[in-house]
């Protein structure tokens, strides 16, 4: 699998817990060299007309810049940690999103 080495050898961070918030789970894996990040977001329960959500990432070097691989948007690591990564809106319960970021 494409993400096998990253998931197996990277540093794991729990960003949110369904047990704590009752709505979603989120975690990230950061490669040892900090060049790649994989964010997994699982929306367990949806809320109609709910505003967009952001996740604050953890353990990044604030001087680095990352590009979201699918959309091409770039973010400063400090922005990702303090303002958060925007999570695309999913409609329905039990929806998941995988976001891959690479250092620019």
């Amino acid at each position: 699998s494409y993400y096998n080495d990253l998931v197996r050898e990277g540093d794991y961070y729990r960003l949110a817990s369904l047990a704590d918030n009752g709505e979603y789970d989120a975690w990230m894996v950061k490669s040892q060299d900090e060049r790649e990040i994989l964010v997994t977001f699982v929306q367990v329960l949806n809320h109609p007309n709910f505003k967009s959500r952001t996740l604050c990432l953890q353990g990044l070097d604030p001087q680095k810049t990352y590009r979201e691989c699918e959309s091409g948007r770039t973010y400063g690591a400090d922005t990702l940690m303090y303002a958060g990564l925007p999570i695309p809106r999913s409609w329905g319960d039990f929806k998941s999103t995988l976001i891959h970021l690479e250092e620019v």
Side-chain angles (χ1 to χ4, degrees):
S1 148
Y2 181 75
Y3 302 119
N4 183 35
D5 290 341
L6 176 59
V7 171
R8 230 173 2 90
E9 299 171 5
D11 295 330
Y12 173 88
Y13 295 84
R14 184 66 181 240
L15 303 177
S17 171
L18 175 66
D20 294 336
N21 64 47
E23 297 176 11
Y24 62 94
D25 268 323
W27 54 94
M28 68 176 261
V29 179
K30 177 183 71 172
S31 64
Q32 293 290 323
D33 62 4
E34 297 189 20
R35 296 185 55 99
E36 283 187 276
I37 300 167
L38 187 63
V39 177
T40 304
F41 175 83
V42 179
Q43 178 176 279
V44 179
L45 296 175
N46 186 31
H47 289 280
N49 301 320
F50 192 73
K51 64 179 181 164
S52 61
R53 187 179 310 280
T54 58
L55 285 176
C56 291
L57 305 189
Q58 299 174 10
L60 304 179
D61 177 350
Q63 303 301 315
K64 294 189 177 198
T65 302
Y66 291 91
R67 179 180 57 84
E68 189 178 334
C69 294
E70 189 164 318
S71 70
R73 285 181 288 232
T74 58
Y75 304 95
D78 56 345
T79 300
L80 292 171
M81 289 191 298
Y82 303 112
L85 174 68
I87 302 300
R89 182 79 169 119
S90 296
W91 296 101
D93 296 336
F94 308 105
K95 302 289 182 176
S96 64
T97 302
L98 194 63
I99 301 171
H100 185 214
L101 301 147
E102 291 181 333
E103 184 182 1
V104 177

